[in-house]
């Protein structure tokens, strides 16, 4: 797992998915990013000569397309498509949904952000959010079919999720929650068992720009019960603040593992334990905090799919709301020196 | 809901029920109280010219009798009646009651005070307590019929409720708790499942003077399940630190509502939701903290009666211990500028 | 319960079981210990002349053998026996046990220490640990019969209990936990439901020396359900930070009691409440913190035996793991002035 520490031009900053970084801070120079990372070295060793801690480009080239290239394309699309589609609030939005489903949707986004832009339309609600450190991203699609009743024009709503989640505490799992948008006051009206909340929306332009997911070839894909991942994360948490996912193609085996100063932990998943595995040799290391937060929201008995490549980001895909809400989380890897 | 902010002579200090103030601090001048309140303005605006934030007298006159007048009468009664009746400890006090009932009695008083004077007699135990800020008052009557066995002379016991509540934690809901008073040591003996506690009483004279409830004409009275109030309070807590109760006579409707900086909440109670309503137009605003603490002790499925008037105190009446303990809480309003 | 406060030579330091003190700090002079205790007087009175707070020797003489003498013997045994028996790690150690049993064993030791030496052998695992203040000691024997499978040579393992307990959180009560020792890496391998932990052992020489239990004649012995003790401890905690155990021989009665500044608590155990009692007149007082921690681990419905003498240490004996693990706790008394 050695990396070329000499090249600087295409340096991939640690803790950043390059394309997200570029999108939200288009003026940021690569040199500055590389310098930042020298203090966040996984092994805690300062990289005093200012050289970047890692260079993913060579490896990315072998897997087809570099993240940087993908992000440039995404950027280009962003400027044309996104600005033309998403403009103002919807002309009408009126929906009713069970408290449990709505809570689950909101609390999943809350894992990484406090405010989010919800794109509403006739098919349902989608939202894409990236955490302030640009390490994790969520992409949620809540289908209109998840609602008891649903009627919506196309539009964008800026929502304070923290406040929304707090309001939803009043709803039990099976309580009907009615949500409608008042176009005159730009406020959401939420009705739970007779109690009416009026909640001001946020200007979507003031919310962190939604990132594009880059095209990446991630050769390793594991489908397994959510509880297996949660269990491994809980174990890793006892010895380290990082967690690694490693696939051994020859053995059709995936290891979830963590190394502490004196103690190690490892969960080996073989054919008996997982649903399916597209195997390839490779390992990716992640900050445990992000994986831990994501794992808290995983369904226990339903399938979850982890997709990753050697030192590449990992996608975590699953469904909630009886299959009517798809959740895709993406986490950037820690680069090992 | 405008108030006369010019007159000073009859200024009603915010957060104080005037009569309680006068009773416990008879030397306090009205001018000083009025000055204090300038920093506690509901809207958070300093009233720099030292003028009182509100004057209830005109409105009180229209409702018959002002609180100040009522309190003067109460004061007069206090000096004659109360001092002659309540003197020393009872000659005997021996009682047994289920843990759940006694815990409920003590924890209700604990909502506003840590120490209380219990007036014991052949009919049962009564206690009246006012919180240190003179905003809330409780009046409890625990009938002798609530006890498994009860025998008591007339007298006054000063009790450290905090310690008493802690001791009662050892009792399960259905455990019999025996309480007796040792006249030689001036201590209470509490026996719970074989464990004997000896708890020193407090000199009743060292405990805050019991206030008199003033006579007030409060035209609005709502009887409703306790859970409805708790639910509205929980909702109000998400947006504000004040809560309003507003009655619209024409609609026979009562609103429990709160306004935050950006968000509002409102529960509308119509004939379907409440048990009964004596309607009149009016609204009273309260500090949420007090209402929240009171609402925590409300019975969930039993009836609770709220009685209030426009910008007047609110009475909260209900029964516990299978109807053998009556609870009356009174809260002073916040005056809106 | 008066004590001779004049003699200094044989002063028994408060909060210390003398023999433990001597064993772990053989150079400590009695004069220094006695001076220390003047600030920890039970009654909170400073002993300004520097005289020792208590002298147990006279009373000990009447009960046969002084603790100091017993400890000298223990010391002598210690130097010969212990050093010859326990040397290095076992040549092999491989065991499987239900999570609940292992958790109980580890968490019991955790009451007083964070690290412990486990003596393993063909019969099972034993451990003896003393808390840093030399006040409490545990002696545990976990029989090989408590394991689902067990194979071990003779040896000594230094274990970080804090970390071990944390790892065991992953195991449910009925999960099989496999523990084996890797002689090449000096690490323990713990497997819980497919998750493998590798945990470094600690050099046993770096762990506090195991004390010997002195021979003491403790004439009072009570056997009672664990819940009775827990209940009395919980009650004592409401009034004091000390707890006394007092036996009245004539009444065949044992009192567990505590005295606070204003309030007292007492649980009287007579023949109806206890299983058996070897009665003698005497009372011993203990720091509540120690007794509280010990009581948390007591079995609720199974028998616990308390053995003590007048102002002597108390032994708390019981069994866990279906009788396959014996637990003996010893606590030094507080000396009353």
């Amino acid at each position: 797992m050695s990396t070329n520490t000499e090249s600087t031009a295409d340096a991939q900053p640690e803790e950043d998915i390059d394309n997200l970084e570029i999108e939200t801070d288009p003026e940021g120079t690569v040199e500055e990013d590389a310098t930042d990372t020298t203090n966040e070295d996984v092994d805690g060793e300062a990289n005093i000569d200012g050289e970047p801690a890692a260079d993913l480009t060579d490896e990315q080239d072998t897997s087809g397309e570099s993240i940087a290239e993908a992000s440039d394309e995404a950027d280009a699309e962003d400027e044309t498509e996104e600005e033309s589609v998403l403009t103002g609030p919807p002309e009408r939005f009126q929906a009713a949904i069970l408290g449990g489903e709505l809570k689950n949707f909101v609390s999943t986004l809350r894992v990484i952000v406090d405010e989010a832009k919800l794109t509403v339309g006739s098919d349902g609600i989608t939202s894409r959010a990236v955490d302030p450190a640009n390490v994790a991203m969520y992409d949620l699609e809540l289908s209109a079919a998840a609602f008891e009743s649903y009627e919506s024009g196309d539009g964008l709503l800026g929502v304070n999720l923290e406040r929304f989640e707090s309001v939803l505490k009043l709803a039990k799992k099976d309580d009907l929650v009615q949500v409608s948008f008042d176009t005159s006051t730009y406020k959401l009206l939420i009705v739970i068992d007779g109690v009416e909340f009026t909640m001001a929306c946020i200007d979507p332009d003031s919310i962190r720009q939604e990132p594009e997911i880059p095209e990446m070839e991630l050769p390793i894909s594991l489908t397994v019960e959510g509880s297996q991942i949660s269990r491994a994360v809980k174990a890793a948490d006892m010895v380290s603040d990082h967690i690694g996912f490693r696939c051994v193609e020859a053995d059709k085996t995936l290891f979830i593992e963590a190394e502490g100063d004196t103690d190690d932990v490892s969960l080996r998943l073989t054919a008996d334990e997982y649903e399916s595995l597209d195997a390839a040799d490779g390992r990716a290391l992640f900050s445990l905090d992000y994986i831990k937060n994501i794992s808290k929201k995983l369904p226990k008995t339903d399938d979850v799919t982890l997709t990753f490549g050697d030192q590449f980001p990992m996608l975590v895909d699953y469904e909630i709301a009886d299959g009517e809400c798809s959740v895709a989380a993406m986490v950037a890897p820690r680069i090992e020196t």
Side-chain angles (χ1 to χ4, degrees), chain A residues 318-330:
Chain A
Y318 58 94
E319 289 180 342
I320 53 175
D322 278 332
E324 299 297 349
C325 182
S326 71
V327 180
M330 185 168 84

Side-chain angles (χ1 to χ4, degrees), chain A residues 34-101:
Chain A
T35 310
D36 282 354
T37 60
T38 54
N39 294 327
E40 291 180 358
D41 192 287
V42 169
D43 296 324
E45 295 168 79
N47 205 335
I48 44 169
D49 59 2
E51 295 291 87
D55 180 323
L56 271 182
T57 328
D58 290 353
E59 287 174 26
Q60 285 165 6
D61 282 345
T62 66
S63 62
E65 186 179 31
S66 80
I67 295 188
E69 285 159 11
S71 87
D72 286 344
E73 289 172 28
D75 246 20
E77 282 167 15
D78 189 31
E79 278 162 30
T80 53
E81 274 189 14
E82 215 171 307
E83 283 181 22
S84 65
V85 173
L86 308 170
T87 49
E91 281 178 27
R92 67 180 186 292
F93 179 82
Q94 188 142 8
I97 187 170
L98 293 184
E101 309 295 15

